[in-house]
Structure formats: C-alpha cells, structure tokens
Amino acid sequence: MKDSISSCISQLQESIISLEHGSGDINDILQALGLDNAQMRSAQIIALMDMLSDGITPITPDLITSLLDIAEAQKKFFYCIGGLLDQGGAPIESKKETEPACDITSTEALASAPDKYEEEMMAEMLAMTGETPAEDEGWEKIDGQTESPPVEAEAKQPELPTEQDKTIEPEPVAAAAKQITEEEQSTKVPAPPAKKKDAQAISSIRVSTQQLDSLIELVGKLMVTYAVIAQTKTDNISKISSSLSELDKVIRNLQSEVDEIRLVPLKQIFMPMHRLVKSTSQKLDKRIKFTITGEELALDKTIVECLNEPLVHLLRNALDHGVESTEDRQMCGKDEMGNVHLNAYRKGEFAYIEISDDGKGLDADILLSKALERGIADPDKEYAKEEIYEFILQSGFSTASAVTDISGRGVGMDAVVTAIQNTLDGKISITSELGEGSTFTIAIPLSRSVNEGIVDALVTTVGPETFIFPSREVLEVYEPVENEFTDLPDGRETVSVRGKVRPLIRMYKVFDLPAPTDDVIPKVILVKLGDTVAAIMVDEVLRQQKAVVTGFTLPVNSIYKLPILGFGMMGEHDALVVDTETLIASHMDTSD
C-alpha cells in the first residue's frame, strides 16, 4: 500500500516541478490536489484562486514549494489512513449498563496508535528523500541525536527501515502504541506559519541608467550643500539661508526622481488579461474580441498592485452579464463576436480605466425590482438611471439566475468597490444603454497612498501630543462656533460646517488625552474618505510641511488597535501620523 501511495504522489510532484520549467498545466495540478472546487467563504480567496487558474498569477518558486508541501501533506494523510486500516475496526463501546466498561489500556493504545505509523512513514520518507522533516511540524528526530539529554518518559526513536521492513505487518493495537506523557505533548507545539509575500505585490521595477545617473547627481549636490552649511559660520545668516534654499530645491528634485522611478506601466497587468478573457469566454461558450488601449500609461506601483483584482471582476462581469450568447446576438441582429474593450488614460490629476462591452446593457427596471426585493432601495424614492446602476455595486447584489464558478455569488462587485474606493480613494461610474452595452469607468487620484515616504503633512496638536494628517485627505480647516455643535439622540456628535452637518470625531477622546481647557479655541479638519466626509476636532493647527513617514518596528497597531500609520519625522520633533481611513471607519462602526 505504501509503495502505491508513494508512486502516485511522486508522479504528482513531478508534474508540479514541471510547472517551473514552463510545461504542464496549473489547472491539472489544482484538480489533482482537490483545490479546483475548494469551497471558501471569502470573496478575495475565490478571486485569488480564479487568477491562479486563469494564468494571471505567475508561477514562482514559492508557489511551487507550497504545492509540493500540499502534495506531501496528502501523502502523510494517505499513509495515516493506510496505517489505521491495517489495525482493523475500532472497538465499539456498548451502551448496556450491565456490560463492563472498555479496557483503559486498549483505549489509550488506540488513541496513540497513529504515532507508530507516523514514525514508520517518516522513516520511509527519510529513506526516499534523504531529508529529515522539521521538528516544528510535530515530528520527532529520527537519528536519535538530540541537543539536550534524553528524558526517561520519551519513547525510543524509530530506526531506518531495512529491506525486510518494506511491508507493514498487522500488530495488536496495544503492542504498537506508546504512552505519551504530558511533558512530551506540551513540547510538540507547531511553530507559527511564516508570513508569506502578497501574491499581487510588485517585487521589482526596471530603472533606466539615465534615472540612476540623475539620482547620483542629486545625491552629490545634496552632500555638497550639506558641507557648505556645515562649514558656514553661524553669524553668516544670508549664506546659510541661501544654502537652505538650495537644499530644499535638491530635496524636491530628489523626491520627484524617486516618484518617477516608482512608476509602473499598466501593460504589466493588462497583458495577462488576454488569457483571462480567453479562458472565461471558452467556459461561457462565447466568441469575444478583446482589445486593449492605453497600456503604456505608467502609474505608481501601489496603485497598479491594487488594480489587478478589480479588473478581473469587471472583465468577468462584462463577459458573463454584459455580452450575450451567440444565439441571442444573432436574434438581435448583432455580430456573433462580442466586443470587450479595456482602455486607460490620464486626465489632469486622475487616471481613468474603462471596461466597456457591446452587450445587452443594463435594464434599470430589473435592477430596481431586485434592489426593492432585497431591501436596498427605498420604494418611496424616485431614482435616476445612474443611481439605479450603482445598486449592482452593493454587497450581495447579483442578477444571475444561478450560482456558477464565474458569477452569481454577489461578491465580485463588492470587492471592486472595496479596492477602488477604500484602498485607492477612487470612484466607479457606470453608463449603459439597453441593447447597446455598458461602460464601467474607474477614476483614481494619482497621488499614491500614504504608507511610507515623503508626504505633505498638516501638523496639529491635541493636548500635549502632536499629530500629522496627510494633506491629500484634508478638504479644509474650519473654526466652528459653539452653537454649531449638536448632540444626536443616539449619543453621536455632529458639527455644522457651512450649513452641512458632519459627524464629529474628538481626537482627545480617541486617544484618551486630557480635555481642552476653556481658553482653547478648537479647530475641525474636514477629511474625505470615499463618499464620507467627517470632521476631526483638534486643539490647534500649526502649519503644513513635508514629513517623512516611517512604519513602526514593533506591531503597535495590532497590540493597541490605534488609528496610526506610523511616525512622521519633521526635523527636531517626531509626530504620529493619523490613519484617517481607520479612524473614520471605526467611528462609523461605533455609531452604528
């Protein structure tokens, strides 16, 4: 039995290794491992599996290693089943009170019997591969050599199998088992899994030699300017001021060059979409002409990394819901081949990505009835077509008649909204003509997200602490009067800013700081997150300046659950950078 299991798994492992050399099919591997129909409740995991099966996710050495680990785990699983079957059926405990209780020794032996077969299995794996499995996976050392002196309660380590040991001989359960002490059980704690790299992260960027030369030149100017300032006497204020102006100019040019280096062409994520469209259209039995324009547009790598998953969902939506079947297109007098177009362009400070099709379009009446049925729409309100189209962006909303591996789960468009609005601070607009097609347009601000780097910062104070707000998220700073504050019946606080009521967040309450004194005139900072605008109250707004944002070396956010991105270095003093997205989201959740 062991030979048969080993042979099957070895063939599967050879197929996995062949993927690294460009041969083999990932879908066959996923089917053999039982992962093609894995039921997952997370829409993001479903999207990851879809992108892997469609060939969008590249085959990396880490992926090959993971697949080999899964195959090895299945081998252990089959070995364990084979070992248990060789022991015969498990004893059935009688329910009659007159019968004596089952033998304690037999029960303990049955519970610990798999350990012997795990040892034999590991011995065979050692003989085949010449490797010793890691102890942090729960396996004991086989060579019998340990770093610490042996404990009396530990069992004897298994020896390497000989030719006569190839076949497992059935043995009584009690004889095959070993007693496991509490000390031995407590030491076999599996190690926490290593943190894996994000599959969508861009690990490398091509940089031209001209850009590198420009960087080196700017760094040289930076060093010379610093030397001039350091050698200038303190009484020569005019020369120091001139050198500081030159230093500021060099730093700005250096930041501009670094931002240029971070740009990645959209071609990197657009080109794999050809395979996605091809495989999806074959599943749907539709003929599709897929065209791409604007792939040469370069955006910041953080934006490009977040665009992959939304594009997958939108293209699948266009192929499944947008383009009609061949028979329906013939009945409507259309060309048998449907058209799907992916376009990208830049206009001002925004990048636009369009996914359009010449399909059946969106029926506003059907969408409205679905929305009313699900309780999303207000039956007493009159909606414009554009407002009705936005219902399909709601979580759980789907017009598919049946759930398939492509649509009907009601999670695809919800994932698009999460990635575009919350992560990239962008917007999605929908235009459609019934019978002519639909267009989904993504508008993304070109300023990249604030995680690390040089940012324009609004420096504020709350009590004794200094906080930084990224300027790109700030709409305005307002000084309210006392009668503009209002407490709602449910306990929430609001403030009226130029006639519009905004939810109010008091920073001293969030960070448990002393309340401001009566002589402090508070300021509110209007911050926009997606379609939500909130007012954040601080004691004072000091100035606006450049700050260098760096992350924490310790997992502070996971320990204290604070809405903080990291440290903002401004010169002599550092300040905490506020994560406005988390701050507003947590305030809204508490209010609900």
Side-chain angles (χ1 to χ4, degrees):
M1 183 182 296
K2 278 190 173 183
D3 293 339
S4 177
I5 295 173
S6 178
S7 175
C8 292
I9 299 298
S10 296
Q11 293 178 6
L12 180 58
Q13 290 174 336
E14 291 176 2
S15 301
I16 295 174
I17 294 174
S18 66
L19 291 175
E20 195 169 13
H21 304 293
S23 59
D25 189 357
I26 184 64
N27 292 298
D28 294 339
I29 302 299
L30 296 177
Q31 184 177 5
L33 293 174
L35 298 175
D36 56 336
N37 292 319
Q39 298 296 322
M40 297 293 178
R41 298 178 64 86
S42 171
Q44 292 181 342
I45 297 178
I46 294 174
L48 289 177
M49 293 298 295
D50 290 343
M51 286 188 282
L52 177 60
S53 61
D54 290 333
I56 296 177
T57 302
I59 304 298
T60 62
D62 290 340
L63 181 59
I64 298 295
T65 303
S66 301
L67 292 174
L68 290 174
D69 290 342
I70 296 174
E72 200 64 41
Q74 289 190 350
K75 184 177 183 180
K76 297 177 184 178
F77 174 70
F78 291 132
Y79 274 173
C80 186
I81 294 177
L84 291 175
L85 290 178
D86 286 339
Q87 298 306 310
I92 300 177
E93 190 173 333
S94 176
K95 295 182 181 180
K96 295 181 180 180
E97 296 180 358
T98 56
E99 294 183 1
C102 61
D103 185 17
I104 297 178
T105 306
S106 298
T107 305
E108 293 179 354
L110 180 64
S112 58
D115 285 346
K116 174 181 183 296
Y117 294 98
E118 290 176 356
E119 293 172 1
E120 292 183 357
M121 175 187 67
M122 293 306 297
E124 182 180 346
M125 291 170 61
L126 179 65
M128 290 187 296
T129 62
E131 299 178 355
T132 304
E135 286 185 292
D136 57 8
E137 297 178 357
W139 301 102
E140 299 178 0
K141 289 188 177 181
I142 296 180
D143 55 10
Q145 299 176 358
T146 57
E147 296 179 1
S148 58
V151 183
E152 292 181 1
E154 292 183 355
K156 185 179 179 181
Q157 304 294 339
E159 299 178 354
L160 294 178
T162 60
E163 293 296 328
Q164 292 81 7
D165 296 330
K166 291 294 182 180
T167 305
I168 301 177
E169 295 295 335
E171 300 178 9
V173 176
K178 68 173 183 178
Q179 301 297 327
I180 303 179
T181 63
E182 294 183 359
E183 292 85 1
E184 191 176 11
Q185 289 180 352
S186 63
T187 56
K188 293 183 181 180
V189 179
K195 185 178 180 181
K196 294 191 176 181
K197 204 173 183 181
D198 186 4
Q200 303 302 320
I202 298 175
S203 58
S204 61
I205 299 177
R206 289 187 177 183
V207 181
S208 66
T209 55
Q210 183 180 357
Q211 288 176 316
L212 290 177
D213 293 341
S214 178
L215 278 178
I216 294 174
E217 181 182 353
L218 288 172
V219 172
K221 290 182 179 179
L222 197 65
M223 296 175 63
V224 171
T225 308
Y226 170 78
V228 171
I229 295 175
Q231 296 170 11
T232 303
K233 294 181 179 180
T234 55
D235 57 349
N236 195 345
I237 302 299
S238 61
K239 189 174 183 180
I240 292 177
S241 177
S242 175
S243 299
L244 287 176
S245 300
E246 180 66 23
L247 185 65
D248 180 69
K249 180 180 178 181
V250 173
I251 290 175
R252 290 181 180 275
N253 291 336
L254 189 62
Q255 181 186 2
S256 177
E257 286 292 333
V258 172
D259 289 341
E260 287 289 331
I261 289 175
R262 288 176 57 91
L263 296 180
V264 176
L266 287 174
K267 182 178 181 180
Q268 187 164 336
I269 62 172
F270 275 15
M271 288 301 104
M273 298 300 168
H274 281 284
R275 184 169 179 177
L276 167 70
V277 173
K278 182 178 180 181
S279 62
T280 306
S281 61
Q282 289 175 349
K283 292 179 183 178
L284 297 171
D285 195 20
K286 295 180 180 179
R287 299 178 60 192
I288 302 295
K289 180 183 179 182
F290 181 53
T291 55
I292 294 178
T293 55
E295 69 271 16
E296 69 281 353
L297 177 64
L299 302 178
D300 189 88
K301 66 179 288 291
T302 56
I303 298 177
V304 177
E305 288 171 351
C306 296
L307 279 176
N308 209 344
E309 184 177 347
L311 290 180
V312 169
H313 287 298
L314 290 175
L315 283 173
R316 285 176 173 268
N317 181 74
L319 295 171
D320 190 19
H321 297 289
V323 179
E324 311 96 329
S325 62
T326 304
E327 295 78 9
D328 292 342
R329 293 183 68 86
Q330 289 177 344
M331 292 175 60
C332 296
K334 295 183 178 181
D335 187 0
E336 294 182 2
M337 182 174 292
N339 292 283
V340 176
H341 184 57
L342 177 60
N343 180 35
Y345 59 95
R346 175 177 176 173
K347 190 175 181 181
E349 292 300 315
F350 281 81
Y352 295 90
I353 299 176
E354 295 178 345
I355 297 92
S356 57
D357 63 80
D358 64 345
K360 56 188 176 183
L362 297 174
D363 193 326
D365 296 333
I366 295 179
L367 292 176
L368 182 59
S369 63
K370 279 278 187 180
L372 292 172
E373 178 185 336
R374 294 181 177 273
I376 300 175
D378 185 359
D380 299 328
K381 182 180 178 180
E382 296 248 349
Y383 291 94
K385 279 189 176 183
E386 290 74 15
E387 295 176 321
I388 296 175
Y389 295 155
E390 291 182 357
F391 285 136
I392 66 177
L393 303 177
Q394 299 288 333
S395 177
F397 189 90
S398 177
T399 57
S401 57
V403 178
T404 66
D405 60 341
I406 297 177
S407 65
R409 295 184 293 261
V411 295
M413 301 306 295
D414 183 34
V416 173
V417 172
T418 301
I420 299 302
Q421 292 187 356
N422 296 345
T423 305
L424 297 177
D425 196 24
K427 293 183 179 179
I428 306 174
S429 59
I430 306 171
T431 58
S432 180
E433 288 293 334
L434 189 61
E436 296 182 9
S438 305
T439 300
F440 289 77
T441 303
I442 301 173
I444 304 169
L446 294 177
S447 56
R448 58 189 173 94
S449 60
V450 180
N451 287 322
E452 292 190 3
I454 303 173
V455 298
D456 290 320
L458 192 67
V459 185
T460 66
T461 59
V462 180
E465 301 293 335
T466 304
F467 293 93
I468 287 177
F469 290 86
S471 297
R472 73 177 185 87
E473 300 168 346
V474 176
L475 296 179
E476 66 171 314
V477 179
Y478 183 74
E479 185 177 311
V481 295
E482 187 175 353
N483 60 2
E484 291 178 327
F485 294 96
T486 306
D487 293 337
L488 299 180
D490 58 1
R492 289 182 297 169
E493 294 180 287
T494 62
V495 60
S496 176
V497 180
R498 309 188 193 284
K500 293 185 178 181
V501 178
R502 307 294 187 186
L504 179 64
I505 304 174
R506 297 179 184 267
M507 285 287 286
Y508 76 88
K509 290 185 178 180
V510 175
F511 292 94
D512 196 18
L513 296 172
T517 58
D518 295 337
D519 59 338
V520 174
I521 302 176
K523 310 291 190 302
V524 294
I525 303 172
L526 290 184
V527 178
K528 184 177 181 182
L529 175 63
D531 295 330
T532 304
V533 178
I536 303 174
M537 193 177 79
V538 298
D539 293 351
E540 189 65 40
V541 177
L542 300 180
R543 61 189 177 276
Q544 184 173 2
Q545 70 171 80
K546 296 281 186 181
V548 179
V549 180
T550 59
F552 294 108
T553 56
L554 297 175
V556 177
N557 293 336
S558 61
I559 297 174
Y560 296 103
K561 305 296 183 184
L562 295 175
I564 295 297
L565 281 174
F567 268 117
M569 296 183 291
M570 303 180 295
E572 295 182 359
H573 302 286
D574 294 339
L576 295 174
V577 182
V578 179
D579 185 354
T580 53
E581 179 180 343
T582 304
L583 178 62
I584 296 176
S586 60
H587 177 76
M588 294 302 178
D589 292 342
T590 305
S591 301
D592 293 340

